[in-house]
Amino acid sequence: MVSWGVGAALVLALVGCGRAPKAQTLSGDFHALQVLGSGTVLYGEHAGVRRSVDGGRTWAAPDGAGDAMALTRTRDGTVLAGHEVLKVSRDDGRTWTDLGFGNLPGRDLHGFAVDPGRPEVWYANVMGRGVFRTADGQDWTHLSDATAGASVLAAGPQPALYALDAQGLLVSPDGVTWTRRPDAPRGVHLDVHPDSGVLFLAGPDGAFRSTNQGRTWTSLALPEGARLIAVSPQNGDQLIAVGLSGAVYRSANGGGRWQ
């Protein structure tokens, strides 16, 4: 089990002493959110990527890495950012390197995901074109245009791919055949735990969890509607959510209670 990191532990200690730094409210474009294995949290927006090393309480300024509409991570700690840029970070989002787009037919990447069981396999959703797959980062194969209008892409271990478009949630076992989940809550963001496959959804009605690939859902009783949600890859009970107000919430028990 990995905690939220040394910074988060220090903040909790300062809370007990009445000297904790004031929690920040996020603003911007609310594109992407990821929790890394180290406990660092990354927030993506048009201005770049912002980092938090204390569990989401305080945030660095946007780093100017480029429009981070999509953020995803691999088991070895590699982070990928995409949308008009395709960059990789191997130091928890401190620095970024351009990868290039290979033979992708466009740069308008509205969703990027990594297969948790095969970290060399990446998926990119190109707006207006659909989902593509690569095993080398350069040679991309078109799988389906069913997600051509999707703004979010996520990958689970079943295997399962998930996409969100204006009509709701789409699910696929391979990226080729997609099924719509008509009973899913309204959603604007997704994350999947890489081992359990538990799916988390953020939307105007709050935060939700599904343990059966989006067939049924449990409300996580977030105090407000949600813009973003992310689960720690090391501990499926540790969640970060961003509310409609920009407030950042943290849960250590799978969404049963939020701080």
Side-chain angles (χ1 to χ4, degrees), residues 1 7 26 40 92 106 132 138 143 147 164 180 187 189 201 235 255:
M1 180 182 296
L26 287 175
T40 296
D92 281 0
F132 293 75
Q138 295 298 310
L143 300 179
T147 62
L164 280 174
R180 192 167 294 280
H189 191 248
L201 179 146
N235 183 346

Side-chain angles (χ1 to χ4, degrees), residues 32-123:
L33 191 71
Q34 279 289 342
V35 179
L36 308 184
S38 64
T40 296
V41 188
L42 302 181
Y43 164 61
E45 55 178 326
H46 286 317
V49 179
R50 300 180 67 175
R51 299 174 71 248
S52 174
V53 296
D54 56 9
R57 175 173 283 273
T58 60
W59 298 83
D63 61 10
D67 190 355
M69 178 169 279
L71 286 172
T72 191
R73 36 121 172 93
T74 67
R75 289 184 183 275
D76 67 1
T78 299
V79 187
L80 295 155
H83 185 229
E84 302 295 341
V85 297
L86 186 49
K87 293 186 175 183
V88 62
S89 175
R90 294 183 173 86
D91 57 6
D92 281 0
R94 294 181 183 88
T95 61
W96 298 88
T97 302
D98 279 306
L99 292 177
F101 289 86
N103 63 345
L104 279 173
R107 300 185 176 191
D108 193 7
L109 305 184
H110 284 225
F112 205 93
V114 174
D115 187 322
R118 298 175 297 166
E120 75 280 5
V121 175
W122 303 347
Y123 298 90

Side-chain angles (χ1 to χ4, degrees), residues 83-236:
H83 185 229
E84 302 295 341
V85 297
L86 186 49
K87 293 186 175 183
V88 62
S89 175
R90 294 183 173 86
D91 57 6
D92 281 0
R94 294 181 183 88
T95 61
W96 298 88
T97 302
D98 279 306
L99 292 177
F101 289 86
N103 63 345
L104 279 173
R107 300 185 176 191
D108 193 7
L109 305 184
H110 284 225
F112 205 93
V114 174
D115 187 322
R118 298 175 297 166
E120 75 280 5
V121 175
W122 303 347
Y123 298 90
N125 198 63
V126 181
M127 182 57 67
R129 302 297 294 269
V131 66
F132 293 75
R133 179 177 62 206
T134 185
D136 62 10
Q138 295 298 310
D139 184 18
W140 294 85
T141 300
H142 183 243
L143 300 179
S144 173
D145 60 4
T147 62
S151 57
V152 179
L153 194 67
Q158 283 81 5
L161 285 173
Y162 303 93
L164 280 174
D165 63 14
Q167 285 72 50
L169 177 67
L170 290 158
V171 182
S172 173
D174 53 13
V176 177
T177 303
W178 291 83
T179 302
R180 192 167 294 280
R181 296 283 193 250
D183 296 327
R186 293 182 296 165
V188 295
H189 191 248
L190 292 169
D191 199 15
V192 190
H193 191 271
D195 294 321
S196 69
V198 175
L199 177 63
F200 297 92
L201 179 146
D205 299 317
F208 300 84
R209 177 184 65 235
S210 175
T211 59
N212 54 12
Q213 297 187 349
R215 293 178 179 86
T216 60
W217 295 86
T218 300
S219 173
L220 300 182
L222 195 72
E224 59 176 304
R227 296 181 183 271
L228 300 168
I229 192 164
V231 59
S232 165
Q234 303 290 352
N235 183 346

